[in-house]
Amino acid sequence: MRTPSPGHPPRRRLLTAAITAVVLLATGGVSACGGSADAGDDGGKLRIGYQRFGGLSLVKARDAAPGVEWSLFESGPALTEALKAGSIDIGQVGEAPPVFAAAGKIPFSIIGTSAPIPQGEAVLVKADSGYRSFADLKGKTVALNKGSNVHWLLVRLLEANKMTLRDINVKYLKPAEGRPAFDSGQVDAWVIWDPYFALAEQPGVRVLADATGLASNREYVLAAPDAVTKRTDDVRAFLQKYREVTDWGIANPQERARVLAPELKIPEDVTSRALARSAKPLAPVSPAIGDELQAITDSFIALELIPGPVDIRSRVDDRFSAVFQ
């Protein structure tokens, strides 16, 4: 390995700075177009909530939808809180946030999804830790963001290894908190998604397990009820652009990484690695998607992680499905 020249920080420090930049920029729903997250109440611009890395980031990075207002969020749960507050019209999240949001009586419709992305989330451990399977984490401390897609992955891993939540010490940490806790050894494992996953994927870190065979890890497009019913044409037009940009990115992976790396504030090679496994086509919602989400919801209720009953099937709205065909 080439030794860094004097005056230049080593790659590990650069990547640590990069993930810090990602989470700082994403914390709290910062508007990316100069206004507050509460702007747009006049019904003019569609207000889009996005997370740094998802397909919506590419739409923003290419300036493919100049007539919308962007608000950035660190995680899905933060984005669904913005839906609750009426601060955004459309947002993109993983598979657990809609479940927790529905349990919290937040109004929204599920209007789109994606192909499965099981390799885009994983359990990370230190390479020298001696852990060789998830079962080895019994009695250990595992960090994750509560209510995010990785929460469902944790549940599925516990089931697959005949373990329960009582068999591990769960520490709920946001990405900005999880990375330093993992780096410093305060937790034994970190369950995380891309691009934080790719940023942490360095020498000395090992992927203990990903979601393959356990969880679909789909993306979901959520919309405020008023946007769906009162601004149907605007929403459809935006989703069409979202679909076109997503398809372009899949067909042009090198250019996609070049465009997205500055938006993500992370190195281009890290961006390419994350996108290679986590950028998937958009897909229409269907009764089968409703069943998949309901099964996740029922599992969380059975574990008493959310109150029940919750009918998430009724949140699925297929009026825009033709856009994703």
Side-chain angles (χ1 to χ4, degrees):
M1 179 181 296
R2 185 169 62 87
T3 302
S5 60
H8 291 74
R11 182 171 180 78
R12 181 181 180 87
R13 233 183 303 160
L14 284 171
L15 288 172
T16 300
I19 194 170
T20 301
V22 169
V23 296
L24 286 177
L25 284 164
T27 299
V30 180
S31 173
C33 63
S36 72
D38 294 325
D41 291 336
D42 60 1
K45 294 182 177 181
L46 274 180
R47 300 163 301 165
I48 311 299
Y50 76 110
Q51 298 179 63
R52 198 173 291 280
F53 183 68
L56 291 177
S57 284
L58 187 58
V59 178
K60 179 180 180 296
R62 295 195 75 202
D63 195 24
V68 306
E69 179 179 288
W70 296 95
S71 293
L72 177 62
F73 298 91
E74 182 183 3
S75 66
L79 190 149
T80 59
E81 283 298 311
L83 278 171
K84 179 180 181 180
S87 300
I88 60 173
D89 300 308
I90 298 172
Q92 176 195 45
V93 299
E95 57 197 351
V99 171
F100 280 76
K105 312 300 183 185
I106 295 175
F108 65 89
S109 296
I110 303 165
I111 61 173
T113 185
S114 74
I117 316 170
Q119 295 177 321
E121 58 179 355
V123 181
L124 304 182
V125 296
K126 296 294 180 61
D128 60 0
S129 63
Y131 305 131
R132 291 294 176 265
S133 71
F134 187 82
D136 293 335
L137 293 175
K138 189 171 185 178
K140 305 301 180 181
T141 300
V142 179
L144 68 147
N145 193 84
K146 185 176 183 179
S148 290
N149 54 340
V150 291
H151 208 154
W152 177 235
L153 174 58
L154 176 68
V155 170
R156 296 291 289 127
L157 282 164
L158 290 169
E159 291 175 352
N161 288 275
K162 296 180 172 55
M163 297 165 63
T164 71
L165 287 167
R166 291 186 293 274
D167 291 319
I168 58 173
N169 175 29
V170 178
K171 195 166 187 178
Y172 292 124
L173 299 175
K174 297 177 181 179
E177 305 162 331
R179 177 65 186 273
F182 177 69
D183 285 347
S184 63
Q186 296 176 47
V187 299
D188 299 291
W190 187 28
V191 197
I192 192 60
W193 64 90
D194 275 323
Y196 307 108
F197 170 16
L199 279 163
E201 205 174 8
Q202 302 175 40
V205 174
R206 184 159 49 81
V207 176
L208 189 66
D210 63 23
T212 301
L214 297 170
S216 294
N217 190 35
R218 298 179 192 272
E219 294 180 354
Y220 287 93
V221 184
L222 309 185
D226 279 354
V228 170
T229 58
K230 298 178 181 179
R231 305 193 62 183
T232 308
D233 291 342
D234 292 338
V235 172
R236 182 177 291 106
F238 176 78
L239 294 178
Q240 181 62 47
K241 184 59 64 176
Y242 180 17
R243 162 74 187 275
E244 291 171 1
V245 171
T246 299
D247 290 348
W248 173 88
I250 292 170
N252 300 274
Q254 292 182 331
E255 180 68 5
R256 176 183 60 190
R258 186 192 67 77
V259 170
L260 257 184
E263 174 69 25
L264 302 178
K265 312 297 184 189
I266 62 178
E268 191 170 324
D269 62 326
V270 177
T271 303
S272 294
R273 184 170 69 250
L275 288 168
R277 64 187 171 218
S278 291
K280 301 294 182 183
L282 293 169
V285 292
S286 64
I289 291 296
D291 291 344
E292 187 173 314
L293 277 170
Q294 191 65 54
I296 296 171
T297 303
D298 294 344
S299 292
F300 277 120
I301 292 171
L303 292 169
E304 299 183 346
L305 292 171
I306 60 172
V310 176
D311 176 15
I312 202 165
R313 285 190 187 92
S314 64
R315 305 294 189 109
V316 173
D317 188 328
D318 66 358
R319 77 182 70 194
F320 303 104
S321 288
V323 174
F324 301 124
Q325 298 286 359

